[in-house]
């Protein structure tokens, strides 16, 4: 009875698990120099890019697969993955009306309309389907403001100077195993350039969709904000239900110059695997890093993580410019067999730099949820300040939550605060609800919502509204 | 209303209730007394379906239906209510919303419309009076940080809102000051009518100065070893349990 109830709660339905039936051009499985050369060729890349890829690949071959996170999964066979898959009909259409109706329908079903109004309204979208960008909306209109918003494959051809200067500058391929792999095989992603003194006239977003089974998605995103400029960027992702695991290894690099501000939000809703068996689902191994290069620059990461079989990511900030600010706000809900090991790094290099970390983890079913954070105050970072708060909630006795904070202070003028709480939904609490006629599903939502209401007060208001809505949906699904 | 037949209950392989029988009719008040650890709370929790206590034998009929296989929330919606000896704290969940959630599940199961917060607010005003509890407890989280006595009053408020057919009050009088005891007893009396029934678990004769029971039972080692009227409670108060246990 008790077990049964908890099982029901973990039994959420995934709404985005459909597969689009579309003919695709797919590479043979496997990873070698030939495959990489072929990717580069397909993308019409200039030679410098192929060189970059091959160097990364050589380096990757020397690296062991990392196993230090709080997650368990069988060894990944990197030769058993397709590294390129693209719909046959659509090698990118500038005219949105000419997009394959099947793709258009797919994005409609996902709630991402690929259309433009006359006015700059809503949100500009770069839609990435397996290995290619299939549409980018409002591109021309944004260009009138000098804002470049295009697939990174296009930027590599059109803006080599910017790419050469920044690609791999924030996350070098030597950084880690998946950053190296990504540098070698990345296929598409978004490129954003905001010129000086420009507030981007609309929010930008990328929507990642993995459609083909046994295909890895290796996206690469680069956002550059020049002096006194600003942008809000939103990333979303979903995938069909497959029994096999799919690898999604992305690299995201952000650069903010003097007085520039980037807000990067993620709504991660990859397929999480079968609720009962844990079979299938996405391995989400991502490197995200922002460089606050300029004075008074600001980078803010906000994320709601509800999907993926395994999440492994630490969006970080390097606070190089004096008075720069880094923020990380995260809500991670793990259910049934999901595992999340997530957190951030705040590296304080400049004077008067400030960082805030708020991480909220909710574990249900047999899930594992770990926060891993590093706050480093370097010698030169006089008057640096950090505030960290981690709250976790556990439901049932089969899930786990861990916190691994690392704090390194090399300058005595720094102020570093760390707070952590763990709450648990007990069987007695659930029984109390039941005895009043309220079923366990409703009880769990009420308790989790109550917990969120308390801890969400610490989040920026607009993000807290968003997060509440998303979790509400997720929990609704979980009790449906 | 309630018929318990040859009920035996085990937890962790220890027999706690042993062939227990009890019949309760609508309109009656039954008092259950007994030494610490004799099985009173176990009986209460078994009736409401606590997962820790499973019947190994016997049956519990509520209005003719065997409820042993029903989920706890179903039993609650049939009209069985337990005021817990130790009410659980639920941080983060607002007391007023909790009450409304509970009320609305009962409404729904009876085919009545749910009340919105404003409508419920009206209903609550009256219930607050019956339970004699201040409005300020509505804005707090359920039982969180409540004193022992406040928790008991909050249980009575829930009873007033849900108006159960059968209310089991497990030591509702423990930890109450003299005025609170009187107030809780008054609340119970005003909620009592000829269509509902009450099981009152207590250690003290005191509360029976206000609430008039029809029967008093003594439970020992998981069995009812003696039943009588309210004079039995007086006798126990004077003489303790020794005489009953050694010489039933
Ligand atoms: N989970 C359990 N595991 C083992 N023994 C238990 C468990 N729950 C209850 N018991 C035992 O069952 C017996 C009856 O407990 P119960 O709580 O019903 O007593 P009670 O009559 O309500 O006592 P009190 O007057 O102290 O409240 C006690 O000996 C208790 O220790
Ligand atoms: Mg007891």
């Amino acid at each position: 009875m008790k077990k049964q109830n908890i099982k029901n709660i973990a039994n959420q339905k995934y709404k985005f698990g459909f597969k689009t039936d579309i003919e695709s051009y797919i590479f043979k499985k496997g990873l070698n120099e030939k495959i990489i050369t072929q990717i580069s060729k397909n993308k019409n890349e200039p030679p410098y890019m192929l060189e970059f890829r091959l160097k990364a690949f050589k380096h990757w071959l020397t690296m062991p697969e990392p196993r230090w996170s709080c997650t368990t999964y069988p060894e990944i066979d990197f030769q058993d993955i397709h590294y390129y898959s693209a719909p046959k009909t659509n090698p990118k259409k500038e005219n949105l009306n000419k997009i394959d109706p099947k793709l258009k329908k797919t994005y409609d079903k996902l709630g991402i309309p690929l259309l433009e109004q006359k006015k700059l309204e809503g949100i500009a979208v770069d839609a990435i389907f397996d290995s290619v960008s299939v549409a980018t909306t409002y591109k021309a209109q944004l260009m009138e403001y000098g804002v470049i918003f295009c697939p990174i494959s296009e930027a590599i051809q059109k803006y080599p100077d910017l790419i050469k200067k920044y690609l791999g500058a924030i996350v070098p391929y030597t950084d880690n195993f998946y950053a190296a792999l990504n540098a070698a095989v990345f296929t598409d992603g978004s490129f954003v350039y905001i010129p000086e003194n420009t507030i981007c006239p609309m929010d930008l977003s990328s929507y990642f969709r993995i459609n083909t089974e046994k295909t890895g998605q290796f996206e690469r995103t680069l956002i550059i904000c020049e002096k006194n400029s600003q942008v809000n960027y939103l990333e979303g992702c979903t995938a069909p239900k497959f029994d096999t695991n799919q690898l999604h290894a992305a690299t995201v690099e952000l650069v903010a110059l003097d007085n520039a501000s980037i807000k990067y939000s993620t709504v991660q809703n990859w397929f999480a695997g079968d609720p009962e068996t844990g079979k299938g689902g996405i391995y989400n191994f991502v490197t995200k890093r922002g460089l606050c290069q300029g004075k008074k620059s600001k980078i803010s990461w906000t994320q709601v993580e509800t999907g993926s079989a395994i999440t492994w990511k630490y969006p970080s900030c390097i606070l190089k410019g004096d008075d720069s600010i880094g923020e990380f706000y995260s809500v991670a809900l793990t259910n049934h067999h999901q595992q999340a090991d997530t957190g951030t790094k705040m590296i304080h290099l400049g004077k008067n730099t400030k960082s805030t970390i708020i991480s909220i983890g909710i574990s249900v079913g047999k899930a594992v949820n770990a926060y891993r954070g590093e706050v480093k105050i370097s010698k030169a970072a006089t008057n640096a300040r950090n505030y960290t708060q981690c709250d976790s909630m556990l439901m049932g006795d089969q899930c786990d939550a861990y916190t691994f904070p690392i704090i390194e202070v090399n300058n005595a003028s720094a102020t570093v605060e760390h707070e952590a709480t763990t709450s648990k939904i007990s069987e007695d609490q659930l029984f109390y609800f039941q005895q009043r006629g309220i079923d366990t599903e409703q009880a769990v939502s009420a308790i989790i919502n109550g917990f969120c209401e308390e801890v969400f007060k610490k989040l920026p208001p607009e993000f807290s509204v968003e997060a509440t809505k998303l979790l509400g949906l997720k929990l609704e699904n979980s009790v449906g | 209303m309630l018929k318990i037949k040859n009920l035996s209950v085990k937890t962790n392989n220890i027999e706690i209730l042993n062939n227990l029988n009890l019949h309760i009719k609508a309109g009656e008040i039954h008092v259950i007394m007994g030494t610490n650890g004799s099985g009173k709370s176990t009986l209460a929790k078994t009736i409401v379906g606590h997962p820790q206590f499973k019947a190994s034998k016997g049956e519990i009929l509520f209005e003719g239906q065997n409820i042993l296989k029903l989920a706890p929330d179903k039993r609650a919606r049939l009209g069985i209510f337990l005021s817990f000896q130790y009410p659980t704290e639920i941080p983060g969940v607002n007391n007023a919303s909790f009450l409304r959630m509970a009320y609305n599940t009962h409404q729904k199961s009876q085919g009545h419309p749910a009340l919105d917060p404003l409508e419920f607010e009206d209903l609550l005003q009256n219930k607050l009076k019956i339970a004699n509890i201040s409005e300020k407890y509505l804005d707090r989280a359920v039982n969180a940080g409540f004193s022992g006595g406040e928790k008991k009053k909050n249980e009575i408020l829930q009873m007033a809102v849900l108006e159960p057919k059968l209310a089991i009050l497990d030591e509702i009088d423990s930890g109450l000051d003299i005025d609170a005891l009187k107030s809780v007893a008054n609340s119970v009396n005003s909620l009592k009518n000829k269509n509902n029934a009450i099981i009152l678990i207590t250690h003290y004769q005191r509360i029976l100065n206000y609430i008039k029971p029809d029967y008093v039972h003594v439970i020992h080692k998981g069995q009812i070893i003696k039943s009588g009227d309210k004079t039995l409670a007086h006798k126990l108060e004077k003489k303790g349990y020794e005489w009953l246990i050694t010489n039933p």
Side-chain angles (χ1 to χ4, degrees):
Chain A
M1 154 93 256
K2 168 170 122 186
K3 287 251 162 60
Q4 185 59 38
N5 277 334
I6 290 175
K7 228 157 88 192
N8 285 345
I9 291 149
N11 241 340
Q12 57 175 355
K13 289 172 214 141
Y14 186 67
K15 275 200 278 200
F16 308 107
F18 64 90
K19 181 177 192 286
T20 307
D21 190 13
I22 195 163
E23 228 186 310
S24 287
Y25 171 62
I26 306 172
F27 276 17
K28 270 206 304 262
K29 280 180 191 168
L31 179 57
N32 49 48
E33 292 200 357
K34 234 170 98 189
I35 292 276
I36 294 170
T37 310
Q38 196 56 44
I39 292 173
S40 189
K41 214 178 209 167
N42 275 30
K43 300 268 170 196
N44 269 328
E45 287 177 353
Y48 79 88
M49 207 58 236
L50 177 60
E51 226 171 274
F52 173 85
R53 288 176 181 280
L54 292 175
K55 262 199 286 187
F57 180 61
K58 281 216 179 77
H59 187 74
W60 179 74
L61 289 173
T62 67
M63 299 172 98
E65 194 188 329
R67 284 287 168 172
W68 46 262
S69 71
C70 259
T71 55
T72 45
Y73 52 91
E75 201 170 327
I76 298 171
D77 182 357
F78 291 94
Q79 299 302 337
D80 193 34
I81 295 172
H82 300 286
Y83 285 83
Y84 188 91
S85 163
K88 268 188 180 162
T89 50
N90 194 80
K92 190 78 178 179
K93 295 280 185 292
E94 287 306 321
N95 185 343
L96 292 175
N97 295 325
K98 289 195 184 146
I99 291 173
D100 186 324
K102 271 189 185 162
L103 287 173
K104 208 157 183 173
K105 224 168 125 190
T106 301
Y107 284 90
D108 281 345
K109 226 167 142 181
L110 297 169
I112 315 287
L114 298 180
L115 44 85
E116 292 173 346
Q117 278 95 15
K118 284 251 156 50
K119 279 183 282 176
L120 282 177
E121 250 173 355
I123 184 161
V125 181
D126 186 20
I128 293 155
F129 192 86
D130 286 340
S131 309
V132 291
S133 165
V134 294
T136 311
T137 62
Y138 293 106
K139 218 167 115 185
Q141 292 95 319
L142 286 165
M143 195 52 112
E144 286 169 27
Y145 294 79
V147 170
I148 305 173
F149 179 45
C150 69
I152 199 143
S153 51
E154 189 181 323
I156 287 168
Q157 298 172 36
K158 283 194 182 162
Y159 313 104
D161 293 346
L162 285 171
I163 295 288
K164 279 183 191 164
K165 186 166 173 191
Y166 290 111
L167 195 82
I170 299 105
V171 180
Y173 61 75
T174 48
D175 189 82
N176 69 68
F177 185 82
Y178 289 104
L181 179 64
N182 176 285
V185 303
F186 75 90
T187 44
D188 228 330
S190 303
F191 176 77
V192 175
Y193 177 81
I194 317 286
E196 263 184 55
N197 305 319
T198 306
I199 292 174
C200 186
M202 70 195 304
D203 288 356
L204 308 182
S205 73
S206 297
Y207 195 90
F208 297 96
R209 175 85 180 158
I210 305 180
N211 191 61
T212 309
E213 191 164 8
K214 292 233 161 192
T215 297
Q217 192 176 58
F218 303 92
E219 102 234 13
R220 184 111 199 169
T221 293
L222 174 60
I223 300 178
I224 303 159
C225 247
E226 294 280 8
K227 283 180 190 169
N228 305 315
S229 66
Q230 247 181 51
V231 69
N232 282 341
Y233 180 90
L234 176 78
E235 172 201 285
C237 26
T238 57
K241 294 181 181 180
F242 292 124
D243 284 347
T244 47
N245 296 105
Q246 280 166 293
L247 181 60
H248 172 259
T251 299
V252 175
E253 297 174 286
L254 316 180
V255 191
L257 297 167
D258 288 2
N259 262 318
S261 153
I262 302 175
K263 186 179 150 198
Y264 192 108
S265 310
T266 304
V267 177
Q268 194 263 105
N269 196 9
W270 292 118
F271 178 51
D274 184 88
E276 293 287 323
T277 61
K279 245 185 147 181
I282 302 284
Y283 289 170
N284 192 36
F285 300 158
V286 172
T287 309
K288 289 180 165 170
R289 193 171 303 152
L291 173 63
C292 283
Q293 185 169 312
K295 278 184 195 146
K296 293 196 172 155
S297 56
K298 178 176 171 182
I299 289 179
S300 182
W301 299 101
T302 61
Q303 56 174 32
V304 179
E305 305 280 322
T306 59
S308 287
I310 303 176
T311 299
W312 193 84
K313 75 174 205 191
Y314 316 91
S316 305
C317 298
I318 300 170
L319 304 171
K320 193 171 167 202
D322 291 347
D323 300 290
S324 61
I325 297 173
E327 292 175 339
F328 173 78
Y329 300 110
S330 167
V331 179
L333 171 70
T334 49
N335 216 334
H336 35 85
H337 294 266
Q338 279 178 282
Q339 309 175 52
D341 191 307
T342 180
T344 184
K345 283 191 223 174
M346 294 290 173
I347 313 294
H348 293 251
L349 303 175
K351 293 190 187 74
N352 305 316
T353 47
K354 204 174 115 184
S355 64
T356 307
I357 300 172
I358 293 180
S359 162
I360 295 161
I362 302 164
S363 317
V364 186
K366 294 181 177 160
V368 178
N369 206 326
Y371 167 80
R372 194 181 296 278
E374 181 178 344
V375 175
K376 188 171 172 180
I377 314 280
S378 71
K379 240 185 188 148
T382 311
N383 290 325
R385 278 186 295 161
N386 163 266
Y387 174 77
T388 301
Q389 164 102 41
C390 303
D391 297 299
S392 345
M393 163 152 275
L394 296 166
M395 129 109 237
D397 46 16
Q398 293 186 298
C399 53
D400 286 308
Y402 305 96
T403 323
F404 304 100
I406 300 173
I407 300 167
E408 189 188 325
V409 179
N410 299 306
N411 184 314
S413 65
T415 317
V416 176
E417 289 173 81
H418 180 98
E419 287 175 35
T421 66
T422 303
S423 349
K424 208 175 155 131
I425 304 183
S426 67
E427 288 297 335
D428 275 344
Q429 287 176 326
L430 291 182
F431 186 70
Y432 194 80
F433 275 87
Q434 282 188 293
Q435 211 304 299
R436 300 306 184 239
I438 303 162
D439 64 34
T440 322
E441 285 80 354
Q442 219 187 335
V444 169
S445 320
I447 296 174
I448 292 181
N449 280 333
F451 167 79
C452 291
E453 221 167 90
E454 281 303 303
V455 292
F456 281 16
K457 283 180 192 151
K458 300 164 200 158
L459 299 173
E462 74 278 7
F463 177 53
S464 124
V465 170
E466 217 170 290
T468 309
K469 222 166 54 193
L470 278 162
L471 283 186
L473 285 177
K474 194 73 182 182
L475 288 168
E476 230 172 73
N477 284 352
S478 81
V479 302
Chain B
M1 174 179 290
L2 184 76
K3 274 198 181 128
I4 301 180
K5 291 187 192 161
N6 302 324
L7 181 70
S8 294
V9 170
K10 276 187 193 164
T11 193
N12 298 331
N13 262 330
I14 309 164
E15 184 144 276
I16 300 175
L17 297 185
N18 173 16
N19 240 351
L20 188 139
N21 288 282
L22 184 64
H23 289 204
I24 294 175
K25 292 200 202 71
E28 292 178 347
I29 298 180
H30 289 239
V31 166
I32 294 181
M33 303 182 84
T35 53
N36 292 131
S38 55
K40 303 181 297 296
S41 295
T42 301
L43 173 62
K45 286 181 178 172
T46 306
I47 296 171
V48 297
H50 194 289
Q52 208 156 55
F53 304 100
K54 295 258 184 277
S56 56
K57 213 179 91 204
E59 53 185 9
I60 301 180
L61 301 175
F62 182 71
E63 296 186 318
Q65 180 187 9
N66 189 354
I67 57 170
L68 277 176
K69 288 230 159 65
L70 294 185
D73 49 317
K74 278 233 177 81
R75 299 189 201 190
R77 292 195 295 270
L78 289 179
I80 305 176
F81 176 90
L82 170 61
S83 162
F84 289 85
Q85 184 174 358
Y86 305 107
T88 311
E89 301 196 5
I90 306 170
V93 177
N94 174 274
N95 206 14
S97 332
F98 179 79
L99 285 163
R100 190 167 73 91
M101 213 187 302
Y103 182 80
N104 279 341
T105 61
H106 282 74
Q107 287 286 99
K108 206 173 138 199
S109 74
Q110 287 156 25
H112 299 315
L115 296 191
D116 66 31
L118 282 178
E119 293 167 325
F120 188 67
E121 176 83 38
D122 288 343
L123 179 130
L124 259 186
Q125 287 311 321
N126 182 33
K127 305 297 182 184
L128 287 166
K129 273 188 213 123
I130 296 174
N132 191 22
I133 182 171
S134 154
E135 208 168 3
K136 70 179 190 211
Y137 295 100
L138 292 178
D139 282 336
R140 290 175 53 176
V142 181
N143 295 327
F146 284 27
S147 77
E150 288 165 350
K151 282 181 184 164
K152 295 293 163 82
K153 276 198 168 180
N154 200 33
E155 296 287 282
I156 294 298
L157 175 62
Q158 296 180 30
M159 174 177 165
V161 167
L162 298 177
E163 296 185 334
K165 290 180 190 156
L166 172 67
I168 307 166
L169 309 177
D170 194 354
E171 300 202 19
I172 192 72
D173 53 340
S174 294
L176 293 184
D177 66 46
I178 300 160
D179 293 340
L181 177 71
K182 211 160 150 182
S183 146
V184 162
N186 282 337
S187 308
V188 172
N189 282 332
S190 64
L191 289 168
K192 180 80 202 59
N193 62 44
K194 61 180 192 321
N195 298 317
N196 59 20
I198 289 173
I199 298 175
L200 187 70
I201 297 170
T202 181
H203 286 293
Y204 309 106
Q205 192 282 136
R206 220 173 37 171
I207 192 168
L208 305 183
N209 293 335
Y210 307 104
I211 298 175
K212 300 291 166 219
D214 300 292
Y215 298 94
V216 174
H217 309 280
V218 177
I219 200 168
H220 179 65
K221 288 193 175 156
Q223 275 185 324
I224 290 181
I225 53 164
K226 179 105 187 158
S227 297
D229 60 14
K230 68 174 199 266
T231 57
L232 178 57
H234 280 284
K235 208 164 163 186
L236 288 168
E237 181 100 347
K238 280 206 200 94
K239 296 171 67 174
Y241 290 98
E242 197 82 356
W243 62 279
L244 254 179
I245 293 165
T246 46
N247 189 11

